[in-house]
Amino acid sequence: MSEFIKKYDKIIEEIEKNIQDEEQFNFVKDKINEISTMFMNMFDNMSKYSESKINALEENQNKLEQKLNKVQNIVEDMKNDIYDDYNEDDYEFEIVCPYCNNVFTSNVETNVNQEIECPECHNTIELDWNDEECCTGSCSSCSGCSGIEEKEDLEEEVDFEIDKDDDDM
């Protein structure tokens, strides 16, 4: 602001040097003061307007941050509900009791549970987690036996081709 006052004083000094009539000088000086006051009021109004807009933006930003925090809390709660109890070695299985044919579901941890009790007949059912062995094919969801059956089919085809060649000789 001091630089502005220095420039203002310099302008008034130059006007005073160039206007010899004191009445004209005072008139011009008053008009310059009016213009300066108008500009100062205009800048002051613009500053107040800008300040009010900035305050409004800050309030909106605070409201948005609060809303975002609420959404983040909700998402975090949902994530906790979904994933905290999740264990990739923990599965829910439908089990058919080989003793009483009771069908029941049970959460089974593959690394921990080796046997489970049937809730109907209370017999102990041994759980076999060995993926290398194949069942006898009696289960409804067996996928391991189909590979063995395919190998047997291929062996039969090879035997057939060998026999066919033997007949040609």
Side-chain angles (χ1 to χ4, degrees):
M1 187 77 168
S2 64
E3 191 174 320
F4 176 77
I5 293 173
K6 286 179 186 178
K7 287 183 180 182
Y8 177 80
D9 288 342
K10 184 177 179 185
I11 291 171
I12 296 296
E13 187 179 306
E14 287 177 9
I15 291 173
E16 189 177 6
K17 285 181 187 177
N18 289 316
I19 298 179
Q20 300 302 324
D21 186 14
E22 194 168 323
E23 189 177 313
Q24 284 180 350
F25 171 72
N26 286 334
F27 175 78
V28 170
K29 185 178 170 182
D30 288 343
K31 292 301 177 182
I32 287 177
N33 284 334
E34 282 180 37
I35 290 174
S36 296
T37 304
M38 283 181 4
F39 277 113
M40 294 301 278
N41 286 336
M42 184 178 69
F43 287 128
D44 189 43
N45 289 338
M46 286 177 31
S47 175
K48 287 178 183 176
Y49 177 76
S50 296
E51 186 177 341
S52 70
K53 287 294 187 179
I54 289 172
N55 289 337
L57 286 172
E58 287 175 349
E59 284 181 38
N60 284 337
Q61 183 176 357
N62 287 336
K63 288 178 184 177
L64 287 173
E65 286 175 354
Q66 290 173 352
K67 288 180 180 180
L68 179 61
N69 286 336
K70 286 180 182 179
V71 168
Q72 285 176 330
N73 288 338
I74 291 170
V75 168
E76 191 64 32
D77 287 345
M78 290 172 61
K79 180 181 165 189
N80 290 338
D81 288 345
I82 294 171
Y83 295 110
D84 274 359
D85 294 334
Y86 175 74
N87 180 355
E88 62 184 45
D89 292 334
D90 188 13
Y91 300 100
E92 185 173 283
F93 285 97
E94 185 174 276
I95 300 172
V96 178
C97 177
Y99 304 105
C100 67
N101 290 326
N102 179 37
V103 178
F104 62 97
T105 58
S106 177
N107 285 340
V108 178
E109 293 181 34
T110 57
N111 294 334
V112 176
N113 293 73
Q114 295 300 319
E115 49 188 42
I116 192 165
E117 182 177 308
C118 174
E120 185 72 25
C121 68
H122 302 287
N123 283 320
T124 302
I125 304 168
E126 185 178 327
L127 301 174
D128 185 14
W129 299 112
N130 190 354
D131 291 336
E132 295 175 9
E133 294 180 19
C134 184
C135 68
T136 61
S138 60
C139 61
S140 61
S141 62
C142 181
S143 62
C145 296
S146 62
I148 291 173
E149 291 173 5
E150 289 175 11
K151 287 180 184 176
E152 291 173 358
D153 290 343
L154 287 176
E155 289 173 4
E156 289 176 11
E157 289 177 21
V158 170
D159 290 341
F160 176 74
E161 290 177 11
I162 292 172
D163 292 341
K164 187 176 180 182
D165 290 337
D166 289 340
D167 290 340
D168 290 339
M169 288 182 159

